[in-house]
Amino acid sequence: MTSRRPSGVLIAASILDSDLAALGDEIRRAQDAGADRIHLDVMDGHFVPNITFGWKTIEAVRRVATIPFDAHLMISEPGRWADKFIDAGCDSITFHVEADPEHARDALVRIREAGRSAGLSVKPGTPLAALEAYRDLLDIILVMTVEPGFGGQAFMADVADAKLAAARGWLDPEGACEVQVDGGGRAETADVIGRGGTDVIVAGSALYRAADMAAEVERIRSIAGAARAASAPGSASLSAS
């Protein structure tokens, strides 16, 4: 399943800030509210200072949802565990370029060979140029606009300004990739995110703490979509970001 750039902005509901005691219900709630994907933040307590859940949890809840599962592996050895997340039912798997660059190509190939979308993520301080060696294997670039590890952090607008349009411009000639942004995704940041040409916004606390999740999904999507439609194409160079 090679990812194609969506015509509008998609919303991926991150379960990190959901009620994990009722995870199946929380996934259904996001799906019923109009979220396009379920975003799964997998953390190992080593690559990032937090521990969440693994493939067995994903496998258990996969059957309750009909929308795609989007895994974000914040772990030290993503290549070692990629097959487990494929088997658990993840439709796309993104991991960090900083985690294990020596084995990144092999992991991306295996994810794609399994018919899933493969992506790489960069922390706020990592330049996009770190992705250049893997360009031919990328379906997704995930730009972090917070330091990975915990939900509910403040959005880094300077990172969004520096990286999103640059990533989108670099991918435009390919026409088969998408830019995701993770961290601080909410209505108040949707305009900045949309102007950068973002395709997928990961939103967690903004959705799960909203009085009306469906209204919040639509509000974020609408603001970002309008900004994206009005934005100019980004630069095709990664060197400065």
Side-chain angles (χ1 to χ4, degrees), residues 69-73 78 81-87 89-95 107-108 111 116-120 140:
F69 269 23
D70 179 35
H72 177 192
L73 307 185
W81 305 109
D83 293 337
K84 295 290 188 181
F85 291 95
I86 291 169
D87 293 342
C90 297
D91 299 279
S92 56
I93 300 173
T94 298
F95 58 92
L108 292 168
I111 293 167
R116 316 303 165 89
S117 293
L120 285 175
I140 297 166

Side-chain angles (χ1 to χ4, degrees), residues 8-89:
V9 176
L10 304 182
I11 305 299
S14 170
I15 61 171
L16 191 60
D17 289 293
S18 71
D19 179 0
L20 297 179
L23 186 52
D25 290 337
E26 291 285 70
I27 288 172
R28 290 189 191 94
R29 184 158 75 99
Q31 179 174 284
D32 293 345
D36 301 288
R37 301 176 185 175
I38 300 298
H39 187 80
L40 305 150
D41 289 306
V42 179
M43 308 182 196
D44 62 359
H46 186 257
F47 181 71
V48 293
N50 195 5
I51 298 173
T52 53
F53 45 81
W55 68 84
K56 294 297 289 185
T57 300
I58 295 171
E59 183 179 60
V61 297
R62 187 64 186 93
R63 61 181 177 269
V64 310
T66 58
I67 59 177
F69 269 23
D70 179 35
H72 177 192
L73 307 185
M74 288 174 267
I75 62 178
S76 293
E77 298 181 88
R80 179 181 178 186
W81 305 109
D83 293 337
K84 295 290 188 181
F85 291 95
I86 291 169
D87 293 342

Side-chain angles (χ1 to χ4, degrees), residues 119-206:
L120 285 175
S121 181
V122 289
K123 293 181 180 181
T126 301
L128 289 171
L131 304 177
E132 184 66 52
Y134 314 102
R135 177 173 181 158
D136 59 313
L137 294 174
L138 293 180
D139 301 305
I140 297 166
I141 288 179
L142 175 57
V143 175
M144 295 296 299
T145 46
V146 299
E147 289 295 338
F150 295 91
Q153 297 183 61
F155 175 74
M156 296 180 178
D158 57 333
V159 175
D161 287 337
K163 290 184 175 178
L164 293 179
R168 179 70 267 154
W170 183 59
L171 292 172
D172 268 338
E174 307 301 321
C177 300
E178 62 184 35
V179 175
Q180 297 184 2
V181 62
D182 187 357
R186 59 187 66 250
E188 292 77 10
T189 61
D191 183 73
V192 173
I193 292 171
R195 287 202 310 269
T198 304
D199 304 305
V200 181
I201 299 175
V202 176
S205 57

